[in-house]
Amino acid sequence: MGPEPAESAPDPALPRATVILLTLAAAAAVGFGLSALRGIVIPVFFAFVLTLCVHPLRRWMQGRGISRGIATGSTIAAVFALLAGFATIFIASLAQFSALVPQYAPQLAQLGASITALLESVGFGPEQTQAVLEGFTPGRLISFLAGLLGNITSLIGSLVVILTMLILMAVDGSRMPAVLTHLNYHRPHLVTAYNDFGRNVRRYMVATTVLGVAQGLFNWILLVILQVPGALLWGLLSFICSFIPNIGYFIAIVPPLFFGFLTGGWPTVLAIIVIYGGINTIIQSIIQPRYVGNAVALSETITFASVLFWAVLLGPAGAILAVPLTLLTRTILLDSNPDVAWWRPLTGDQKSLEVILKQEDEAIRARRARRGPANPGPASTPKA
């Protein structure tokens, strides 16, 4: 008598294709909703990330016996001081840029004329070349920068939301350990996932901030030595773009190259490319992976795709917050549900693959060792 057939799994309630289509439809609806509410989503999430970053300060103070109210007030004051310092440098840099651009109006006009002449020689019409020429004016450059940053009203509104949410989140954060302890009895996997998310985001943001400050300072000093105008603003831009993986460097280098060409020509441009490239390679390719480690645990493909996705969805701020937003999405969809956590290696986490990768490396070395004696080189051929 043969073995009994295995019991077949119950049929799903919906066909797989239907589930996939419904999932994509739900994701599209959520994406459009987030994009429509970007004016609220971005400052709220930014305040949430800042609250996570300063949480160790509150925990350290409470561990020393300092009252909950004083610890909360100290964390709020620390974040406010950081934001105030950043805003001061930012406003001063913009003022410097607005005063700087009109001084180079003749050089801009000459550069625009050269480009339009080149376009005309290629075959572009007069209307297209005239549009390009009008773009090389101080007013257009300032308007372009203002369009990227948004109007003053939206910036002030976002800052008010950030500061208000920081106060409220700091107050609620003082009770968060008790909330997590309560939830741990009912949803331990959820608590573990969110604890890991907070720890990983905090490690990533703090390390990226420290290294971004170092990168911005080096670039600022370099531009001052090369006498590139607006050096402080471009150093600040380099710091901001350090939060944009893979493509931040290419964004940060464009304005220094442009103004370096206006003041020093091609030698200055080459010096900026070489030194900027060297600093970026050392910090982002050698130092940052060593200190950040596996905190992000995202593959390079997903990291780059997430920058593009969140930038389209939420604008430039989405590109800056792309990694924390992607980590939060993975925490909600994968890490908090143990039934689907096995998908995590597909996002770039290699902890579960260490044994398999080690076995593959050992198999490769074994095949190489077996092939070595079978194919002796010319040097190993015995002489007659």
Side-chain angles (χ1 to χ4, degrees):
M1 187 174 181
E4 296 182 359
E7 184 178 355
S8 61
D11 295 333
L14 294 174
R16 184 181 299 273
T18 304
V19 174
I20 294 175
L21 291 176
L22 289 176
T23 303
L24 293 177
V30 172
F32 279 109
L34 292 175
S35 180
L37 298 174
R38 67 172 63 183
I40 299 176
V41 173
I42 291 174
V44 169
F45 187 76
F46 184 65
F48 174 61
V49 171
L50 290 178
T51 304
L52 284 178
C53 292
V54 299
H55 178 69
L57 175 62
R58 183 219 314 276
R59 186 171 53 194
W60 178 82
M61 295 180 70
Q62 291 182 352
R64 298 299 186 275
I66 300 175
S67 65
R68 190 189 306 269
I70 296 177
T72 301
S74 300
T75 56
I76 295 174
V79 177
F80 277 24
L82 291 175
L83 289 178
F86 178 80
T88 301
I89 298 175
F90 186 68
I91 294 174
S93 301
L94 289 181
Q96 181 189 16
F97 178 76
S98 300
L100 178 69
V101 172
Q103 300 177 10
Y104 291 89
Q107 291 90 333
L108 289 174
Q110 183 179 0
L111 179 61
S114 301
I115 294 178
T116 53
L118 177 62
L119 294 177
E120 288 177 353
S121 64
V122 175
F124 284 87
E127 295 181 357
Q128 291 84 356
T129 56
Q130 183 64 26
V132 172
L133 183 60
E134 292 176 354
F136 285 88
T137 59
R140 283 295 183 90
L141 290 177
I142 295 176
S143 299
F144 175 73
L145 181 62
L148 290 178
L149 298 175
N151 55 54
I152 299 299
T153 303
S154 63
L155 291 176
I156 294 176
S158 299
L159 185 60
V160 170
V161 173
I162 291 173
L163 296 180
T164 304
M165 291 302 300
L166 279 173
I167 297 174
L168 299 177
M169 288 182 178
V171 174
D172 292 338
S174 63
R175 299 185 292 269
M176 190 54 61
V179 173
L180 294 178
T181 302
H182 170 73
L183 289 177
N184 194 47
Y185 291 105
H186 306 281
R187 296 290 188 272
H189 293 289
L190 180 65
V191 173
T192 301
Y194 279 97
N195 282 332
D196 291 340
F197 165 76
R199 181 167 53 253
N200 294 338
V201 168
R202 184 161 51 244
R203 185 180 179 186
Y204 168 77
M205 292 297 294
V206 171
T208 305
T209 300
V210 173
L211 295 175
V213 169
Q215 187 173 351
L217 287 175
F218 282 131
N219 293 334
W220 171 52
I221 295 173
L222 162 69
L223 296 177
V224 170
I225 295 174
L226 295 176
Q227 298 181 354
V228 176
L232 181 61
L233 178 59
W234 313 137
L236 181 62
L237 178 64
S238 177
F239 164 72
I240 296 174
C241 290
S242 65
F243 290 91
I244 305 177
N246 301 322
I247 61 176
Y249 161 73
F250 299 100
I251 299 174
I253 199 175
V254 171
L257 289 178
F258 181 75
F259 283 92
F261 178 77
L262 293 180
T263 56
W266 289 111
T268 303
V269 170
L270 293 177
I272 293 174
I273 292 176
V274 172
I275 303 180
Y276 254 58
I279 294 174
N280 176 79
T281 301
I282 293 173
I283 292 181
Q284 294 194 2
S285 300
I286 300 176
I287 300 178
Q288 187 170 5
R290 179 177 180 181
Y291 284 93
V292 176
N294 201 35
V296 177
L298 292 174
S299 66
E300 294 296 330
T301 303
I302 291 180
T303 301
F304 181 68
S306 68
V307 172
L308 301 179
F309 175 79
W310 293 111
V312 171
L313 208 63
L314 302 177
I320 296 174
L321 297 173
V323 172
L325 285 167
T326 305
L327 290 177
L328 178 61
T329 303
R330 187 177 65 182
T331 299
I332 296 173
L333 298 180
L334 299 183
D335 298 346
S336 60
N337 186 358
D339 295 333
V340 295
W342 55 272
W343 282 89
R344 186 179 170 95
L346 296 179
T347 65
D349 187 6
Q350 298 185 6
K351 291 182 179 179
S352 302
L353 305 178
E354 290 179 352
V355 176
I356 300 176
L357 292 174
K358 184 178 179 180
Q359 292 175 350
E360 291 181 351
D361 293 338
E362 291 176 351
I364 293 173
R365 287 193 293 267
R367 285 194 295 268
R368 187 167 59 244
R370 288 196 300 269
R371 188 172 61 247
N375 299 300
S380 60
T381 304
K383 296 182 180 180

